[in-house]
Amino acid sequence: MAEHEGAFEENIHNREYRKKYTVKKIDGSFTLYDNNRKSEKLDGIWHHHADVYDTCLRQEWFKEPRKDQEGWTLPWDWDFNEWETIKVPSTWNTQQEQYKLYEGSMIYTRTFRYEKDDEEKVVLKVGAAYHNSMVFLNGEYLGYHEGGDTPYYLDVTESLQEDNRIIISVNNTRTPGRIPTIFTDWYNYGGLYRSVELFRLPAAYIREFRIALVPGSGFSKIRAEVEVEGKGMETASLSIPELGIEKTISLSGGKGSVVLESRPELWSPENPRLYDVHVTAGEDYIRERTGFREFKVEGTSVFLNGEALKLKGVSCHEESVPNGKSVTNEEIRENLALIKELNGNFIRLAHYPHTERAARIADEMGVLIWEEIPVYWAIHFESQETIDNGRQQLSELIKRDYNRPSVIIWSVGNENPDTDDRLAFMGGLADLARELDDTRAVSAACLWDQKKMKIDDRLAAKLDIVGINEYFGWYNPHFDLLEKFFDNSHPDKPVIITECGAGAKAGHHGGRNEMFTEEYQERTYEEQVRCISKQPWIAGLTPWILYDFRTPVRCNKFQKGYNLKGLLSADKSHRKLAFFVLKDFFARWTI
Ligand code: GCU
């Protein structure tokens, strides 16, 4: 039957209204090397509105008050400058009580002036918007990004005016095909929670710069790779003054690389030696501050700069009580200082990419890092859209943090079922990580085989290091089974116990068999480290978790919306008894 053309109103009848705003997919292929670049931040006070029905998209509010063909001003349902205000960056959940558990679209908008100077290009960077977002500038739809933990970039040169209005519709609704999917044991924050900024660039500029020690070169070769955007750049110049390096890199097709003989002082947790690296190409200049180190796997051990070591750390969510996911540098420093206090050298940034500031601060403080994309639990491994998004998020993370010496492991997921679809999905991600980066190990936090009582996950064959989450003493009551599980397992590659532990309410004391007391958690840690210390193939440990964190999953009288497996209370003011068990263990755990 023919559709009734006349009786059809786009903004109320088009069920696919979101689709047209997801067509310009920002997939990580366009990026800008932005470390240490001067930028104009659009952070600060924005107007915002909880757009529960996505009316902005349906009625195209971003086109401002509309007129029809006869110039008749159509009635409007918004006044951007009269709306509530919100701080950017922040998570809306922590800004206003009524948005604590809000899931849906939030419209962010502000105006800003732009006066052209001698730049030829302007790039907008959104540090992170949880979980997907659509960008509109001066009434024009610019693009759509999906993935709440990685930055994205847009060339806005042609869209900028002197007076500008930017609108970003951010949506954190949990959907089955999303990464992460609808069920997670952490809080579903939302918002523009990392900085939004503009970069002014010459017509031809440096869009990628990567530098690292060449693996297997005996710490004697440095490889630098440059990619430029724009015409007319035949060469780039690289300078590392403290190494006496001044090198011209020839470019062809906008790309160039060089391998230099050099023996830099190596970066390590004990000696986090950083160097300033300067790159000039055409009128563009960037400065990277990085360290040189080699991380590798051999047999069932891991090596840093040729020396075997144990990775002594703790898992950690990106969250603080006052700021949610929008953590401050001070809060990051505090977390890394706690790792040092525990006699640790390592931290597992679970379960998604934390802010790039975390790895930069770890570079300075000397803490090794496991970074992870949120391929968590029951992902829709069979969906091509989900597969594509997983590859996009991993590529965005590796591009962002490639030059960070503290980062040694890329993790492609956590606690996923051992199915064929999952093996294809995560095996493909492991291959992609290796394609993009030969200087780091690839891992994932896997489950152990409860029937066979051993490590037997098919994904392990695709990994350099196998992460294992096991909760003997909590979800599995018997520690003698932990010994049996360990004795039954004969891995041919290093294993990191990426999770173990127990819940305890800070300050709640009682018997060592009384769940949720500090004494129970203490005993669990004592038993865990006793068993772990006997297995030479366990190359690392990151118990769950550094401090208590928010989750809608945990609702008993002790938890009240928090997962209490932290070694510290959520505000990090209270060290539980288990903290000292781990500290003592890390002081004596050696190869
Ligand atoms: C799982 C999962 C964590 C979760 C933890 C728990 O292993 O990886 O995200 O919080 O167990 O049960 O507390």
Side-chain angles (χ1 to χ4, degrees):
M1 198 169 82
E3 291 280 313
H4 283 282
E5 282 305 314
F8 180 84
E9 282 289 343
E10 171 71 21
N11 78 72
I12 53 178
H13 295 138
N14 179 356
R15 295 179 188 162
E16 304 296 319
Y17 69 90
R18 277 186 75 87
K19 224 178 190 136
K20 63 184 175 184
Y21 299 120
T22 60
V23 291
K24 291 183 183 174
K25 204 175 278 293
I26 305 167
D27 62 2
S29 51
F30 173 72
T31 54
L32 169 69
Y33 178 89
D34 64 78
N35 291 330
N36 299 314
R37 277 192 191 275
K38 208 161 55 65
S39 79
E40 288 147 81
K41 293 215 167 166
L42 296 180
D43 293 350
I45 298 303
W46 291 47
H47 285 97
H48 79 118
H49 171 73
D51 190 7
V52 183
Y53 295 161
D54 267 341
T55 318
C56 173
L57 302 181
R58 294 172 186 277
Q59 294 184 0
E60 301 188 328
W61 289 354
F62 50 90
K63 290 185 175 168
E64 302 276 359
R66 301 158 300 167
K67 295 183 184 304
D68 68 7
Q69 286 81 352
E70 282 90 59
W72 167 259
T73 298
L74 296 167
W76 65 97
D77 295 316
W78 69 94
D79 281 309
F80 296 131
N81 295 335
E82 306 301 320
W83 283 350
E84 302 165 301
T85 58
I86 191 166
K87 181 168 69 85
V88 170
S90 73
T91 50
W92 64 62
N93 322 72
T94 53
Q95 296 303 299
Q96 288 149 33
E97 189 61 22
Q98 72 266 36
Y99 299 127
K100 218 169 134 189
L101 281 170
Y102 177 66
E103 286 199 6
S105 289
M106 187 70 83
I107 307 296
Y108 285 80
T109 183
R110 65 161 289 174
T111 57
F112 64 94
R113 278 193 58 79
Y114 162 70
E115 271 152 45
K116 187 168 173 351
D117 193 350
D118 60 357
E119 71 282 353
E120 297 296 324
K121 282 265 176 195
V122 183
V123 168
L124 172 78
K125 173 185 180 183
V126 175
Y130 208 92
H131 178 269
N132 64 62
S133 50
M134 300 160 178
V135 180
F136 304 87
L137 183 60
N138 301 325
E140 185 191 352
Y141 162 60
L142 293 186
Y144 169 76
H145 183 264
E146 178 157 347
D149 309 285
T150 42
Y152 63 87
Y153 303 82
L154 279 163
D155 181 341
V156 293
T157 314
E158 305 309 321
S159 312
L160 280 171
Q161 296 159 5
E162 259 192 52
D163 291 310
N164 299 277
R165 171 168 294 283
I166 185 168
I167 295 172
I168 303 181
S169 173
V170 182
N171 186 294
N172 75 330
T173 306
R174 289 163 302 112
T175 54
R178 206 181 80 161
I179 296 178
T181 183
I182 52 178
F183 182 38
T184 65
D185 186 18
W186 71 81
Y187 208 80
N188 183 38
Y189 288 104
L192 284 179
Y193 72 99
R194 295 180 191 154
S195 285
V196 180
E197 43 197 325
L198 289 173
F199 293 89
R200 295 174 190 245
L201 302 159
Y205 58 90
I206 299 163
R207 53 168 292 189
E208 289 252 9
F209 173 66
R210 302 180 358 150
I211 188 163
L213 213 53
V214 176
S217 69
F219 324 119
S220 67
K221 287 185 171 51
I222 292 174
R223 181 182 60 210
E225 301 162 274
V226 183
E227 274 186 49
V228 298
E229 184 76 28
K231 298 188 178 55
M233 285 213 263
E234 309 294 319
T235 62
S237 65
L238 171 74
S239 157
I240 312 178
E242 288 186 279
L243 294 176
I245 290 174
E246 302 292 336
K247 184 74 182 169
T248 300
I249 303 173
S250 51
L251 303 172
S252 103
K255 293 183 182 179
S257 65
V258 67
V259 173
L260 305 155
E261 294 287 336
S262 179
R263 286 189 173 279
E265 192 178 339
L266 299 178
W267 183 94
S268 69
E270 298 72 28
N271 178 30
R273 177 69 162 91
L274 296 175
Y275 287 87
D276 277 332
V277 180
H278 308 272
V279 183
T280 308
E283 292 157 51
D284 199 15
Y285 161 77
I286 55 138
R287 176 178 63 84
E288 176 58 273
R289 186 154 175 72
T290 190
F292 300 102
R293 54 98 184 108
E294 179 184 276
F295 178 73
K296 70 173 183 178
V297 165
E298 220 163 79
T300 59
S301 302
V302 297
F303 295 77
L304 185 73
N305 302 332
E307 277 179 48
L309 77 163
K310 293 291 186 187
L311 297 172
K312 306 175 183 180
V314 189
S315 294
C316 186
H317 263 302
E318 182 177 52
E319 182 185 86
S320 72
V321 171
N323 300 308
K325 257 180 89 65
S326 198
V327 295
T328 64
N329 288 351
E330 294 66 37
E331 290 165 339
I332 296 167
R333 285 186 192 288
E334 182 183 29
N335 294 347
L336 299 179
L338 284 166
I339 295 294
K340 297 270 189 191
E341 184 184 337
L342 282 161
N343 298 313
N345 58 10
F346 182 52
I347 189 167
R348 176 185 177 214
L349 298 185
H351 284 294
Y352 37 72
H354 293 209
T355 168
E356 57 261 52
R357 290 178 283 115
R360 288 198 154 283
I361 292 168
D363 285 356
E364 291 163 23
M365 292 179 66
V367 176
L368 297 160
I369 296 181
W370 160 303
E371 291 197 324
E372 188 162 296
I373 56 170
V375 174
Y376 179 94
W377 289 357
I379 293 289
H380 281 224
F381 298 111
E382 73 292 345
S383 148
Q384 189 56 48
E385 221 174 302
T386 309
I387 293 167
D388 294 345
N389 189 256
R391 294 176 68 83
Q392 172 205 307
Q393 291 194 38
L394 180 62
S395 309
E396 289 171 335
L397 171 60
I398 294 176
K399 274 186 186 176
R400 189 194 75 177
D401 288 356
Y402 183 91
N403 292 344
R404 307 275 63 79
S406 54
V407 179
I408 51 171
I409 295 169
W410 303 120
S411 166
V412 295
N414 178 79
E415 286 200 351
N416 314 94
D418 188 351
T419 65
D420 293 347
D421 284 341
R422 172 267 192 159
L423 183 58
F425 185 105
M426 295 177 74
L429 289 175
D431 293 342
L432 176 62
R434 283 195 191 87
E435 234 172 84
L436 295 174
D437 181 0
D438 64 353
T439 70
R440 292 177 173 89
V442 181
S443 189
C446 303
L447 294 168
W448 54 283
D449 188 313
Q450 308 218 14
K451 290 200 180 67
K452 297 177 187 167
M453 275 306 285
K454 64 178 190 171
I455 296 171
D456 194 28
D457 187 317
R458 288 180 294 165
L459 182 67
K462 299 287 281 186
L463 305 175
D464 300 313
I465 297 172
V466 182
I468 290 290
N469 294 356
E470 50 86 0
Y471 279 94
F472 285 87
W474 189 252
Y475 297 120
N476 308 78
H478 310 297
F479 283 107
D480 54 338
L481 290 182
L482 176 57
E483 301 222 58
K484 189 167 164 231
F485 156 52
F486 280 162
D487 291 341
N488 274 355
S489 299
H490 307 287
D492 58 359
K493 53 189 73 172
V495 168
I496 295 176
I497 302 299
T498 32
E499 292 185 31
C500 64
K505 179 159 178 57
H508 174 55
H509 294 281
R512 284 164 66 87
N513 291 320
E514 195 184 336
M515 279 191 155
F516 291 103
T517 64
E518 287 200 29
E519 286 73 13
Y520 186 99
Q521 186 189 45
E522 180 186 38
R523 183 174 71 86
T524 303
Y525 270 72
E526 285 166 359
E527 289 295 324
Q528 282 284 350
V529 301
R530 179 180 60 77
C531 298
I532 287 166
S533 61
K534 294 179 186 168
Q535 306 297 337
W537 42 264
I538 295 180
L541 171 61
T542 52
W544 193 258
I545 189 169
L546 187 57
Y547 50 89
D548 299 344
F549 62 93
R550 291 189 181 100
T551 168
V553 172
R554 312 293 175 174
C555 321
N556 74 24
K557 63 182 179 178
F558 300 109
Q559 296 162 326
K560 295 185 179 150
Y562 278 81
N563 183 312
L564 300 179
K565 295 189 183 69
L567 290 168
L568 293 97
S569 53
D571 64 4
K572 300 178 241 180
S573 64
H574 178 101
R575 288 161 179 73
K576 303 175 191 174
L577 296 174
F579 178 96
F580 303 98
V581 173
L582 189 69
K583 178 177 178 177
D584 166 65
F585 175 59
F586 280 165
R588 56 190 163 79
W589 193 31
T590 55
I591 295 295

